[in-house]
Amino acid sequence: MADNKDDLSAADQKALAELEKQIAKDNSAPRSATKSKPVNNGGKSSPQSKPSISSRPSSQNTKTTNSSPKAKTGLLWLVTLINLLILITIVGAGYWAWLQWQTQSTQQDETLAAQQDLLTTQAQKVTQTLAENQQLQAELQQQNQGLQASVNSLVQQLQLTDSQTQSNQRQLTEISGRRPADWLLAEADYLVRMAGRKLWLEHDVKTAIMMLQSADSRIQDLDDPSLLPVREYLAADIQSLQQINQVSTSSIALALGAMLKQVDNLPLVFFERPKEEVIEQAVTDSVDDWRSNFMRNVKEVTKDFFSFKKVTTDIKPFMSEQQRWLLKEQLSFALMQAQIAVLQENQTLYQQALQQGFALLIEHFDTEQDIVVQFTESLSNLQQTDFSREYPSQLEAAPLLQDVIESRLDSRFVNGSN
């Protein structure tokens, strides 16, 4: 009952306390009435006997109790009914409270289960997150190691670059101490060397002359009287190169190449012309023609003794198609040899090849055709062209210019050491 009272409100608890007090009063009233009843002779009392009227005075409560037993019984039943109703109410309230407690307990269990599931899920997520974090930490550690190696490599490269920069600075410091004349002299020396390579390796005389002239202009810009001997040698080298035959071998080679393309169009003499028949003339009256007249008469007398028949047949070629192709190929080969010889500046081989071409033209080609005549004239002009060259074995200015540069460098180092 104590638990049920705790579930009731304050007003219900107050009403329940008042009912308990009333029940206690009602229970004490019958006890007092029983004690006030008279005792008979036999020591037993009869509930149905009426109380005797005593001449002794009694209290007001005793008179009221003895005078109304029915009212007390009704009141007792009323109190009992009220107690029963209160008991039913209390039991109902307790049952309702128990149901509420059961529902609340069920809800709490469900809430606890949901919270437990949520905690389990969160624990799994936390575990998975920890595993991913560990894996990420391992990857970051590997990347950190790679970055550390890269940083070390960059540090080494920076050190090498720093050392190279210092070396370049030292070289620039040394170069800055030189005079501009040193640069111009070095450039002139380079131009002279390149002129020699153009002359002896490529046989390019014009380019070699231009390079020597550029070298002379560089030295002239120095305005140094001590370099006049170098300029004299440069002028001598330029003059010697200008005296070399300036005929362009490439132009001759191109002309021969153009003639090679015309060989297939040149007509050949590939048949013999038939002899023309002599027309007989009549006997003349002149004494001076006695000899021809005599021969005519002899032929007239003797032609009756012999008989012959004329047979007309097709004219056969003087040479076969294979022979014609071979002749043109021989002429082409001679022109190709001449072309190679002119590129190699071999005058002897060039003349031999052209002479062989002339022989083929005169012997096997139709020299009465205009195209053959023009071809022969062009070949004759090329044969008369002289492209022979004699190159100097050395440029006189090169060693002198090299000696000047070396002497200046040696003097610079000696002055710097002192």
Side-chain angles (χ1 to χ4, degrees), residues 58-301:
S58 61
S59 65
Q60 187 178 356
N61 291 330
T62 304
K63 290 181 180 180
T64 304
T65 303
N66 293 330
S67 62
S68 57
K70 291 182 180 180
K72 292 179 180 179
T73 304
L75 182 59
L76 181 60
W77 280 104
L78 179 61
V79 172
T80 304
L81 181 60
I82 291 172
N83 289 332
L84 182 60
L85 292 175
I86 291 171
L87 181 61
I88 292 172
T89 302
I90 292 171
V91 171
Y95 180 72
W96 178 82
W98 181 80
L99 290 177
Q100 292 296 324
W101 176 79
Q102 190 71 22
T103 304
Q104 186 176 4
S105 178
T106 305
Q107 291 178 356
Q108 289 178 355
D109 293 339
E110 292 177 356
T111 304
L112 289 174
Q115 291 178 355
Q116 186 68 26
D117 294 339
L118 181 61
L119 290 173
T120 304
T121 304
Q122 290 180 354
Q124 292 177 356
K125 290 182 179 179
V126 169
T127 304
Q128 184 177 1
T129 304
L130 289 175
E132 292 177 355
N133 290 334
Q134 290 177 356
Q135 184 177 1
L136 182 59
Q137 184 178 3
E139 292 178 356
L140 290 175
Q141 188 175 2
Q142 292 179 357
Q143 291 180 0
N144 190 13
Q145 293 176 357
L147 290 174
Q148 188 66 29
S150 300
V151 169
N152 294 333
S153 177
L154 289 175
V155 169
Q156 293 178 358
Q157 291 180 0
L158 286 174
Q159 292 176 355
L160 292 175
T161 305
D162 190 12
S163 61
Q164 185 66 31
T165 303
Q166 293 177 0
S167 176
N168 293 334
Q169 288 178 354
R170 288 194 300 269
Q171 292 179 0
L172 286 174
T173 304
E174 294 176 358
I175 292 173
S176 61
R178 298 180 183 178
R179 294 179 297 176
D182 297 336
W183 291 101
L184 292 175
L185 282 175
E187 188 175 357
D189 181 64
Y190 173 76
L191 289 172
V192 172
R193 290 175 182 272
M194 289 301 298
R197 292 178 182 178
K198 283 287 184 180
L199 180 63
W200 295 308
L201 297 180
E202 301 179 12
H203 293 173
D204 190 353
V205 180
K206 292 182 179 180
T207 305
I209 293 173
M210 292 175 62
M211 287 184 174
L212 291 178
Q213 291 175 351
S214 298
D216 182 64
S217 64
R218 298 294 189 281
I219 298 175
Q220 185 179 3
D221 293 338
L222 294 175
D223 196 13
D224 189 353
S226 63
L227 298 177
L228 288 176
V230 179
R231 293 192 64 193
E232 291 179 358
Y233 279 104
L234 282 174
D237 291 333
I238 293 171
Q239 186 65 28
S240 63
L241 292 181
Q242 288 178 349
Q243 293 177 358
I244 296 176
N245 190 359
Q246 299 295 326
V247 176
S248 176
T249 56
S250 60
S251 300
I252 299 174
L254 290 174
L256 289 172
M259 295 176 68
L260 276 171
K261 298 178 181 179
Q262 298 177 0
V263 171
D264 293 336
N265 299 326
L266 297 177
L268 288 166
V269 180
F270 58 89
F271 65 92
E272 291 181 351
R273 292 183 179 181
K275 296 179 180 180
E276 295 180 357
E277 294 182 357
V278 181
I279 300 174
E280 295 182 358
Q281 297 179 357
V283 178
T284 62
D285 296 332
S286 177
V287 180
D288 296 332
D289 296 334
W290 65 271
R291 187 171 296 176
S292 58
N293 292 331
F294 177 75
M295 294 300 298
R296 292 190 188 95
N297 291 327
V298 171
K299 288 182 179 179
E300 288 292 335
V301 173

Side-chain angles (χ1 to χ4, degrees), residues 10-24:
D12 293 336
Q13 291 178 2
K14 185 176 181 182
L16 183 59
E18 291 178 357
L19 287 174
E20 288 179 352
K21 289 180 181 181
Q22 187 66 31
I23 292 170

